[in-house]
């Protein structure tokens, strides 16, 4: 597995997490605080989060497939982009695990 697979996932996890927090703040501003401009802000952020979440799903699935994760772990990582702040915690939990795989020496080739 290449390190770029993990890097792509990490970038999208942070982008998705930040956008989801901004969306929650926009919803609070729109519905609770009745702020001017919160409607437009919420619309823009929700569209951006929706499209970027699809990219996050692709990268997270690719990472899980290459890391050979069980289905439950794969679903846990995929759903992290829908729960505010969960993407940050999940990313922090799986990154050290996968970075350890990069530092392990490659198995020696078997001579015939």
């Amino acid at each position: 597995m290449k390190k770029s697979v993990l890097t792509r996932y990490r970038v999208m996890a942070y982008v998705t997490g930040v956008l989801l927090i901004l969306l929650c703040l926009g919803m609070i501003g729109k519905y609770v605080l009745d702020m001017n401009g919160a409607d437009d802000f919420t619309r823009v952020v929700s569209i951006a989060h929706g499209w970027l979440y699809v990219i996050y799903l692709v990268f997270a699935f690719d990472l899980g497939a290459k890391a050979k994760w069980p289905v439950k772990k794969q679903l846990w990582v995929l759903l992290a982009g829908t729960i505010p702040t969960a993407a940050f915690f999940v990313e922090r939990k799986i990154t050290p695990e996968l970075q350890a795989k990069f530092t392990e020496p490659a198995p020696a080739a078997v001579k015939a």
Side-chain angles (χ1 to χ4, degrees):
M1 176 170 57
K2 294 182 180 178
K3 195 168 187 171
S4 62
V5 175
L6 178 59
T7 303
R8 288 188 314 212
Y9 163 75
R10 291 183 72 193
V11 168
M12 288 311 299
Y14 280 109
V15 169
T16 303
V18 168
L19 285 174
L20 193 55
I21 290 171
L22 289 175
L23 182 59
C24 289
L25 293 174
M27 291 290 191
I28 291 169
K30 180 179 176 180
Y31 292 111
V32 177
L33 304 175
D34 198 29
M35 294 174 66
N36 290 335
D39 188 32
D40 293 332
F41 176 79
T42 302
R43 184 178 303 115
V44 169
V45 173
S46 65
I47 291 170
H49 173 70
W51 282 105
L52 291 171
Y53 179 66
V54 172
I55 296 169
Y56 167 83
L57 287 175
V58 171
F59 288 165
F61 184 78
D62 183 41
L63 178 68
K66 289 180 179 171
K68 296 181 173 73
W69 285 337
V71 175
K72 283 186 179 183
K73 186 171 188 175
Q74 182 74 36
L75 288 174
W76 178 59
V77 173
L78 292 173
L79 289 175
T82 62
I83 302 166
T85 70
F88 303 119
F89 293 108
V90 171
E91 184 273 331
R92 281 290 169 200
K93 185 167 175 76
I94 66 169
T95 296
E97 167 193 325
L98 293 175
Q99 283 180 337
K101 289 185 177 185
F102 295 125
T103 58
E104 291 176 0
V110 177
K111 293 184 180 183

